[in-house]
Amino acid sequence: MASPHTVTPILGVDLNTITLAADIAQGLEDGPQIGTQVFGTDGRRYVYAQANATITAATAVCTVNATTFLATASGGSYRSPAVAMATGDRGYFSVASV
């Protein structure tokens, strides 16, 4: 199966990469706002969130706080991006949309 992409009409969404904390600190991020939500071609809902700790690639038990949009790899129903994340990195976390 091909990598998912967004079906929500927003320009610049890349569900398959992350933004590094170092780039954010240098002001190099031009991505979406934390909390942006889109739907993917795989039927999942994606939320742009920030890693609150180290998260391994494609972890299927992440929690995304609905107020701060900080993500942790513990006990939730979100899946992390397909690449490992360090604290402060940002990316799209997916969850079943139904």
Side-chain angles (χ1 to χ4, degrees):
M1 178 180 192
S3 295
H5 59 275
T6 184
V7 295
T8 305
I10 300 174
L11 293 174
V13 173
D14 185 351
L15 302 177
N16 305 302
T17 62
I18 64 170
T19 304
L20 301 176
D23 291 339
I24 296 166
Q26 293 179 11
L28 301 177
E29 181 189 31
D30 61 350
Q33 274 192 305
I34 293 292
T36 297
Q37 298 182 42
V38 298
F39 289 92
T41 54
D42 57 359
R44 298 178 69 82
R45 179 172 49 97
Y46 289 79
V47 179
Y48 193 68
Q50 180 171 309
N52 198 29
T54 300
I55 300 175
T56 57
T59 299
V61 291
C62 293
T63 300
V64 176
N65 182 294
T67 304
T68 62
F69 301 104
L70 293 176
T72 58
S74 59
S77 57
Y78 285 84
R79 181 176 299 142
S80 66
V83 295
M85 300 177 79
T87 302
D89 291 349
R90 295 179 181 175
Y92 280 97
F93 290 75
S94 66
V95 68
S97 63
V98 291

